[in-house]
Amino acid sequence: MKQKTKKIYVINGPNLNMLGKREPQIYGALTLDQIMADLTQQAIPLGVDLGFFQSNHEGAIVDKVHEIFEENIDGIMINPGALTHTSVALRDALLLLSCPIVEIHLSNIYKRESFRHKSLLADIVTGQICGFGHYGYQMALTAIANMINES
Ligand code: DQA
């Protein structure tokens, strides 16, 4: 019997809608739409469906995670932006989920200001990719799609 197509959600937090304009020397020149369009192409041969969500509002992201919990999504890729370093609410919401979660950062947060060195999510996610710019999203998709297709 053919397996159901797996669904992965890509969540982006505050200020990531400004990629391309925002500190390009740190975050690169590509817009979020360009990065997500590349992921959509990459997902086709991997046989996974992608859903996308970006918000500048912590509560809206928590609400989205609750929706994902009800929908039985197979995997999450999340760049929580600054919420990485501050949001117990996002951490608690992600703890609802049992699917693999990849935490992504365009920049290497450990090479930056000390307040960025602490991720409140790092110890509850499957893994973290940081410092590879937009390639980090592609790396995360390869890893999570293969992981869930094999499971
Ligand atoms: C970021 C790193 C965070 O510290 C920062 O607040 C962001 C982007 C990154 O992708 O490198 O908004 O998550």
Side-chain angles (χ1 to χ4, degrees):
M1 210 174 66
K2 195 174 175 293
Q3 277 199 327
K4 110 177 187 333
T5 304
K6 300 285 183 4
K7 177 133 187 181
I8 297 170
Y9 245 97
V10 186
I11 300 177
N12 283 285
N15 299 308
L16 291 162
N17 56 314
M18 299 308 282
L19 287 180
K21 299 180 189 151
R22 175 190 181 203
E23 298 180 278
Q25 71 287 3
I26 296 177
Y27 298 116
L30 293 188
T31 65
L32 189 60
D33 282 351
Q34 288 168 327
I35 297 172
M36 296 304 114
D38 287 348
L39 283 186
T40 302
Q41 290 307 311
Q42 188 190 343
I44 298 168
L46 290 168
V48 293
D49 272 353
L50 296 183
F52 297 105
F53 185 73
Q54 189 278 328
S55 178
N56 296 320
H57 305 280
E58 181 176 20
I61 298 174
V62 169
D63 286 344
K64 188 68 197 178
V65 174
H66 293 177
E67 259 176 48
I68 286 171
F69 170 71
E70 300 297 344
E71 281 174 35
N72 281 322
I73 296 297
D74 301 289
I76 308 287
M77 298 166 46
I78 182 164
N79 183 345
L83 296 177
T84 309
H85 319 294
T86 61
S87 182
V88 176
L90 179 58
R91 175 189 171 93
D92 287 347
L94 291 172
L95 280 169
L96 278 164
L97 306 178
S98 51
C99 64
I101 302 173
V102 188
E103 176 185 346
I104 304 165
H105 301 285
L106 294 141
S107 63
N108 182 345
I109 55 176
Y110 304 101
K111 280 170 78 172
R112 300 184 61 196
E113 306 96 317
S114 58
F115 64 84
R116 295 185 204 274
H117 296 179
K118 176 74 186 162
S119 163
L120 296 185
L121 309 179
D123 64 318
I124 62 148
V125 295
T126 310
Q128 186 195 64
I129 296 174
C130 77
F132 294 97
H134 66 93
Y135 297 117
Y137 287 87
Q138 297 174 12
M139 294 160 79
L141 180 57
T142 300
I144 199 166
N146 286 311
M147 201 177 223
I148 65 180
N149 279 333
E150 278 166 15
S151 66

